[in-house]
Amino acid sequence: MSTPRTSVPVLDLSAARNPDGFFNSDFIDSLRDAAHNVGFFQITNYGAADGQAQALLDTVAGFFRLPLVQRLELDNRTSAQFRGYTRLGTEITRGRADSREQIDYGPDREPFIDVPADQLFLRLQGHNQWPAGYPELERAAMAWAALMACVGAELLAGISVALGLPEDYFADPFTWSPAWMGKLVHYVGGQVTAAGTQGVGAHADYGFVTLLLQDNVGGLAVQPHGHTEWIPVDPIPGALVVNLGEMLEVATNGYLMATIHRVTAPSPGLDRYSVPFFWSPRLDAVINTVPLSAELAAEARGVTDDPNNAMLSSYGSNVLKGWVRAHPQTAAIHYPEVG
């Protein structure tokens, strides 16, 4: 058994490949260790322009300083794609309100007109909502998403190699129309009575790879498999926090884990901003179990058995399940047939 961890590893993405273009074996070993034993790590030197990360956080903060009436022009209750602005305290995690407000966005594509009853998740394709009077938010967020898509693809290639697979093993489900998701999040302490100190409750992510830019306030903590204590993820300026989602846990029978994590709300009067990006495949992608070596398969823990959160091999079904649970008001309007 591995030694229990008390911190989250930090990897330098600029050292991921050798001059010949192949992955560096030391980097792959570190990546495998972090992905299997913690499910979380931080990366530095991932290709952001100088000042880009802080400029994005500043731009996000500027949006949340706009009057509420302007933010509500983007009300996500008008969107079958759950896109736009979520009011403070109306997103739910583990049945409890979160102390956050946010904008959700994704690839801006034409929505499907006719969707089969057994593929309601296809309705998640559609348009974003952005503030017309604050255009810098869309520019900064979409430029960041383009960078994160490259970083997500590179990390997924490295994870494939760490599993003993070709680096393009997972590439096909991301071809043409990956259904990535981005969030622009503002955590506020002391204003949502029902939330208590919950910024966002304990949960795992739906997809493949999550890339999080967080400010210097802190509050994120993780609980790797078998741990009873929470490990804080201390902010590193400009770094990305990386964690793995439920699709990789399902695909590897638990060799890779969708690690539980949470955010504690900041103290009253203190604001926390973060920008999570979820590198995710096409909505209709179905992920089969990957062929692991006997050595790795022997260390697979099995898929988490949570009766309140069954993990599905269909990406679209898995993510729609999560959206409906987290945004009950929006779900009641646009997905009344989903229980």
Side-chain angles (χ1 to χ4, degrees), residues 17-22 24:
R17 293 185 185 266
N18 297 319
D20 61 8
F22 290 99
N24 178 279

Side-chain angles (χ1 to χ4, degrees), residues 44-75:
T44 59
N45 299 316
Y46 51 87
D50 288 345
Q52 183 179 5
Q54 187 57 52
L56 175 62
L57 291 170
D58 292 343
T59 303
V60 170
F63 169 76
F64 290 109
R65 287 194 293 267
L66 294 176
L68 178 60
V69 65
Q70 291 181 242
R71 285 174 274 157
L72 282 172
E73 291 175 357
L74 316 177
D75 193 335

Side-chain angles (χ1 to χ4, degrees), residues 13 16-17 23 31 149-159 167 279:
L13 194 60
R17 293 185 185 266
F23 278 103
L31 178 61
C150 295
V151 175
E154 178 73 347
L155 283 172
L156 195 54
I159 289 167
E167 67 174 74
W279 181 231

Side-chain angles (χ1 to χ4, degrees), residues 195-213:
T197 61
Q198 175 171 298
V200 57
H203 68 286
D205 292 341
Y206 316 134
F208 273 76
V209 176
T210 301
L211 307 168
L212 170 72
L213 175 67

Side-chain angles (χ1 to χ4, degrees), residues 21-237:
F22 290 99
F23 278 103
N24 178 279
S25 59
D26 289 340
F27 177 87
I28 291 298
D29 289 344
S30 296
L31 178 61
R32 183 188 306 107
D33 173 69
H36 174 61
N37 289 311
V38 185
F40 264 78
F41 51 97
Q42 299 200 62
I43 60 170
T44 59
N45 299 316
Y46 51 87
D50 288 345
Q52 183 179 5
Q54 187 57 52
L56 175 62
L57 291 170
D58 292 343
T59 303
V60 170
F63 169 76
F64 290 109
R65 287 194 293 267
L66 294 176
L68 178 60
V69 65
Q70 291 181 242
R71 285 174 274 157
L72 282 172
E73 291 175 357
L74 316 177
D75 193 335
N76 80 333
R77 290 174 295 182
T78 68
S79 170
Q81 294 75 41
F82 299 88
R83 309 273 182 94
Y85 174 68
T86 300
R87 292 157 300 131
L88 182 63
T90 57
E91 183 161 2
I92 305 298
T93 306
R94 297 281 174 139
R96 187 176 183 182
D98 295 327
S99 298
R100 58 174 170 167
E101 57 179 344
Q102 65 191 38
I103 283 184
D104 289 279
Y105 68 106
D108 199 286
R109 303 183 180 119
E110 288 298 318
F112 290 108
I113 302 301
D114 295 311
V115 170
D118 62 347
Q119 292 184 302
L120 290 178
F121 55 78
L122 292 176
R123 292 171 58 193
L124 294 173
Q125 176 168 302
H127 297 301
N128 295 317
Q129 298 193 78
W130 297 109
Y134 193 58
E136 53 266 48
L137 185 68
E138 179 180 5
R139 288 197 296 266
M142 294 304 284
W144 187 257
L147 172 62
M148 292 300 98
C150 295
V151 175
E154 178 73 347
L155 283 172
L156 195 54
I159 289 167
S160 298
V161 172
L163 294 173
L165 305 169
E167 67 174 74
D168 64 350
Y169 183 86
F170 290 110
D172 183 68
F174 291 82
T175 303
W176 303 113
S177 54
W180 56 264
M181 299 184 297
K183 292 178 180 285
L184 312 173
V185 186
H186 177 210
Y187 291 93
V188 183
Q191 294 188 25
V192 182
T193 302
T197 61
Q198 175 171 298
V200 57
H203 68 286
D205 292 341
Y206 316 134
F208 273 76
V209 176
T210 301
L211 307 168
L212 170 72
L213 175 67
Q214 61 172 341
D215 66 11
N216 62 1
V217 172
L220 173 63
V222 307
Q223 190 177 61
H225 178 83
H227 285 234
T228 58
E229 301 296 322
W230 289 89
I231 300 174
V233 184
D234 296 326
I236 298 175

